[in-house]
Amino acid sequence: MSDAQSEDRRPTPDPAEDNAFFPSPYSLGQFTSPKSDLSGADYPKPYTGGRWKILMIGADERYLLTDNGTMFSTGNHPVETLLPMYHLDKADFAFDVTTLSGNPVKFELWAMPSEDEEVKGLFAKYRGQFKQPGKLADVIETALGDDSDYIGVFIPGGHGALIGLPGSEDVRKVLEWAAEKDRFVISLCHGPAAFLAAGDSAIYLGYRICAFPDALDARTPDIGYMPGHLTWKFGERLRSIGIEIINDDISGATHRDRKMLTGDSPLAANGLGRLAADALLEEVAGG
């Protein structure tokens, strides 16, 4: 990228849709990297039981309407998806990938760490599931009984998590099942917006989490990361259902509150992966 391009703060048009935009060259230079921090992904005693796996709920919508009528071309952030998966995969936990519709998972491929062969290899390993995921409602009907093999639920970040998941009855059923059965819920950045699906059920009353701050979201259009402002504040709404967001910036912070494991941003993706892998391995070791 040339110096002129790297200073360009104009959102980049997405030719696949009217009035839709990718992040500006400048914002990509600030918020993406060709390589990721994969430190600590060494699990000498991985899971060997063969039963427990993780239910992933991916984003299946691409375009997020902003306050000025433009659309942000989004999806799941690859670092926020693949780094937590990388650690759990190294610990020998498998994933079942789902979306609300059963349509493919949408990714913000402009954030893919292009020089990370390990991360790209994991993407290739799960490419088939990303392209042909299960439909979440079907999994609820067939695989969320008392003897379910899911040890946890993973909801990746990216602004795509703001579309559909927060108001989904199916997501609500999964979250209530996880709370009732004492299973893990793992999420980061904008992924916790999906917790809004719990509504007034009070299952998360008093929980403390890390998530992307509303105040920082409000500043992203200034550098062209988004073409407009969000039309609602997910952090504000999370607080209204009794969830406390403990960070007011992004530093790579992670947090565990009971079986809920969260991180503040892409900077937290590796740390959240380590936290999740260690927590799940400890859980299965304890029987």
Side-chain angles (χ1 to χ4, degrees):
M1 183 182 297
S2 70
D3 289 343
Q5 287 176 316
S6 65
E7 293 301 317
D8 187 351
R9 301 188 182 209
R10 296 172 298 177
T12 301
D14 175 355
E17 180 58 74
D18 175 58
N19 212 25
F21 297 86
F22 300 116
S24 68
Y26 175 81
S27 66
L28 290 181
Q30 297 297 306
F31 290 139
T32 64
S33 173
K35 291 189 74 76
S36 302
D37 176 13
L38 298 175
S39 62
D42 180 24
Y43 302 99
K45 295 183 179 180
Y47 175 55
T48 58
R51 174 190 176 187
W52 295 116
K53 52 188 177 178
I54 299 156
L55 175 64
M56 173 182 153
I57 305 175
D60 59 3
E61 291 286 347
R62 169 74 65 201
Y63 297 107
L64 177 64
L65 189 66
T66 70
D67 67 339
N68 61 12
T70 60
M71 291 190 291
F72 181 40
S73 185
T74 183
N76 283 134
H77 193 293
V79 169
E80 296 170 17
T81 305
L82 297 170
L83 265 64
M85 288 182 70
Y86 178 79
H87 281 267
L88 290 159
D89 181 77
K90 285 287 189 181
D92 275 349
F93 291 99
F95 288 81
D96 283 348
V97 178
T98 68
T99 62
L100 295 184
S101 63
N103 291 329
V105 178
K106 305 300 190 295
F107 280 98
E108 300 171 330
L109 278 185
W110 37 262
M112 179 69 79
S114 59
E115 296 176 12
D116 260 333
E117 296 306 318
E118 295 266 341
V119 173
K120 291 195 295 183
L122 184 68
F123 181 77
K125 176 178 179 177
Y126 279 94
R127 182 189 300 272
Q129 285 204 56
F130 292 147
K131 299 302 183 186
Q132 294 183 300
K135 186 175 182 178
L136 185 60
D138 294 340
V139 172
I140 293 168
E141 184 176 346
T142 62
L144 287 193
D146 291 337
D147 59 349
S148 175
D149 294 332
Y150 294 119
I151 192 172
V153 179
F154 175 43
I155 305 175
H159 283 81
L162 301 178
I163 312 170
L165 301 186
S168 168
E169 178 68 12
D170 289 331
V171 173
R172 182 188 66 79
K173 290 176 181 178
V174 171
L175 296 177
E176 290 182 345
W177 167 84
E180 179 186 351
K181 303 301 181 185
D182 198 30
R183 305 296 166 90
F184 288 92
V185 175
I186 306 160
S187 192
L188 71 167
C189 203
H190 291 83
F195 301 165
L196 291 167
D200 60 1
S201 65
I203 59 173
Y204 294 142
L205 185 64
Y207 272 74
R208 305 174 79 234
I209 70 168
C210 289
F212 197 84
D214 288 338
L216 292 187
D217 255 333
R219 298 208 297 266
T220 58
D222 296 343
I223 60 170
Y225 186 83
M226 292 181 62
H229 291 90
L230 295 176
T231 58
W232 57 284
K233 299 176 180 179
F234 82 94
E236 184 178 278
R237 293 193 185 179
L238 285 172
R239 285 188 285 274
S240 75
I241 64 169
I243 295 176
E244 178 186 355
I245 298 176
I246 63 174
N247 60 294
D248 57 12
D249 61 2
I250 54 172
S251 63
T254 62
H255 186 68
R256 176 173 181 173
D257 188 341
R258 288 155 278 190
K259 292 290 183 70
M260 184 177 284
L261 313 177
T262 53
D264 65 14
S265 67
L267 301 176
N270 193 63
L272 181 64
R274 287 199 305 265
L275 177 66
D278 287 341
L280 269 63
L281 288 172
E282 180 182 8
E283 182 81 2
V284 297

